[in-house]
Amino acid sequence: MKRTMMSLIGVAVALGAVTGVAAVNAPDGGDHTAPRGSARLPVQRSALLCPAPTSSEVGRTDYTAFAPKGAAAGGDATKGTAALVPAGTVKDAGDGTGKGKKTGKDGKGGKGAADAADSASGQLVAPRDTKPVAPLKEAGTPVTASTDSADAPALVGAADGTLAPGWTVQQTTSVAAGAGRGLMGLNCTTPDTTFWFPGVSTAADRQDYVHLTNPDPTPAVVDLQLRGKDGSLGGSTGEDITVPPHATVPVLLSTLTTEPATNASLQVVAREGRIGAAVQATDAKLGSDWLPAAADPSPSVVLPGIPKDATSVRLVALAPGESDADLKVQLATPTGLITPAGLESLHLKSGMTTAVDLKDLTKGEAGSLVLTPADGGSKAPVAAALRVTRGKGAKQEMAFIPATRPVEQRATAADNRAKGSTLSLVAPEKGKDAEVKVTASAGSGGGTPVTKTYTVKGGTSRDLTPPVPQGLKGTYALTVEPAAGSGPVYAARTLARPQGGVPAFTVQTLPDDRGTVLVPTAGQDLSVLTK
């Protein structure tokens, strides 16, 4: 009896200790009000993964790391660590079929990445340097780093303490010439087990690489599946890809199938371990950019931040479940929700990718796309993304806008300059206005933070020139925080840096940073010993 009693008490104490140091992501969507018997606390550890930026000899990559101050960070802003370190790279992997050609990112061999699925046959190249990149010392002030190396590695990193909640790293690459010329931007990703990428391509005029990065000390095993307009693409070899510990494996998507597809969707599943995943897309005419993973499939999705001068917009969507989806397509404009001409509804067949060219959808006004279940239609979950083009002729540049999660408590966009940033906010539900506080942080080289509050009327989208820190030196971060009781709001940031007549730009959606988590209140209940 005594031994049983001591065991039960030990279990209770252990459970209390676990809940007291919980450091996990908050659930997707939903009400973030803490239920009775629980408390919302800042996470104590977070992880980020940045893919290898470019193999171009004329590229430059800037990293901007930031952790916001505030109630979520809590306490002394200097008590914590946050840094990225170089990862190893698997190069020259075969395709697992005996027919794979070893090519680089430029399609000509040499520097670059694996063009196939079986990374076990490739060579793991250790990083030449293990020095931390852009380590943070305190919350509220960005830290920057840059490289012009054509073989810059992927980065893996972690933050703890008061720097963990909301830790954000922006990777921005400018390529001056060549097929990949333009501006590529990416918020470094958090590790997970499943990712959806509507909008990939295996066509001859595109080179799309999915970068798989493993943050952990044990190998990860990954499956890749491509779906086109008729379902799964034939000849797939994307199974059992081994990603070594603290390493990255880039895979050229066109080598995974014998069926070229202009518009396709990629599903990435880690069967063992966890990974970060992002797709680097290079178009022969439209430049290059990163395609981040879309939000988890949902019956309703929002794609914020279509530039008002977009000359072409393409929607790529997929219903990954067993049921078809019928969607109402609406554009949230500054004055309200409208239905694009000729696209009152959209039918998605289960497991098949559908692409719709929306042309110059915005007609000179800022907008965000809102997809909801059609009246009387199925509420099947969907994944979606937009390919947006600016410019004309040989002076075009593309970027991607995946469906994103709402900003529930806070979201952050790093790497903003005095000019060239546009903040897009959309409140997609009629009658539910959103009040949003936007804070411009101190600059990486100096400056005083500035905060402004904006109201977005329900059913509208609004583009803003964001506030700039007083006396700004260097780059700064934008933090977006909805007011308590505000209607749902989604956000994106467009970064524009023209290059020789090309309207180079990139768009980053701003999902909630999940910097806090609900932790159940734990305590000893010795009454269980009498039951």
Side-chain angles (χ1 to χ4, degrees), residues 9-31:
I9 294 174
V11 169
V13 172
L15 287 173
V18 169
T19 55
V21 298
V24 296
N25 286 337
D28 209 5
D31 184 3

Side-chain angles (χ1 to χ4, degrees), residues 203-390:
D205 59 353
R206 278 269 292 270
Q207 282 202 342
D208 286 15
Y209 282 86
V210 59
H211 290 246
L212 310 172
T213 308
N214 181 1
D216 296 322
T218 56
V221 179
V222 180
D223 291 342
L224 306 178
Q225 183 175 17
L226 287 164
R227 294 181 175 91
K229 60 183 179 63
D230 298 318
S232 181
L233 294 181
S236 175
T237 59
E239 296 182 351
D240 297 325
I241 302 173
T242 299
V243 185
H246 306 302
T248 190
V249 178
V251 180
L252 180 60
L253 296 185
S254 61
T255 65
L256 301 180
T257 178
T258 57
E259 298 181 35
T262 300
N263 304 294
S265 299
L266 171 68
Q267 182 184 14
V268 178
V269 177
R271 289 191 289 108
E272 296 180 19
R274 57 178 189 159
I275 57 167
V279 172
Q280 189 179 48
T282 301
D283 188 280
K285 296 181 180 179
L286 303 178
S288 61
D289 207 344
W290 289 99
L291 170 57
D296 291 341
S298 172
S300 298
V301 298
V302 177
L303 304 98
I306 305 173
K308 62 182 181 181
D309 60 349
T311 53
S312 174
V313 178
R314 177 182 294 173
L315 168 65
V316 182
L318 170 79
E322 297 181 355
S323 301
D324 294 358
D326 291 290
L327 300 173
K328 179 191 296 184
V329 181
Q330 294 179 295
L331 180 70
T333 72
T335 56
L337 292 165
I338 64 172
T339 300
L343 193 63
E344 289 75 16
S345 63
L346 179 64
H347 181 72
L348 304 181
K349 293 183 178 180
S350 172
M352 302 180 185
T353 298
T354 298
V356 181
D357 282 319
L358 303 176
K359 301 180 180 180
D360 55 341
L361 174 70
T362 56
K363 303 294 184 182
E365 285 190 322
S368 300
L369 203 64
V370 180
L371 307 178
T372 55
D375 295 338
S378 168
K379 293 186 178 181
V382 299
L386 299 173
R387 190 199 71 183
V388 179
T389 305
R390 297 174 67 216

Side-chain angles (χ1 to χ4, degrees), residues 64 142 413-418 421 440-444 466-469 472 474-478:
T64 305
D415 194 9
N416 297 280
R417 312 296 171 92
S421 293
S441 74
S444 57
V468 177
L472 171 65
T475 65
Y476 70 99
L478 287 170

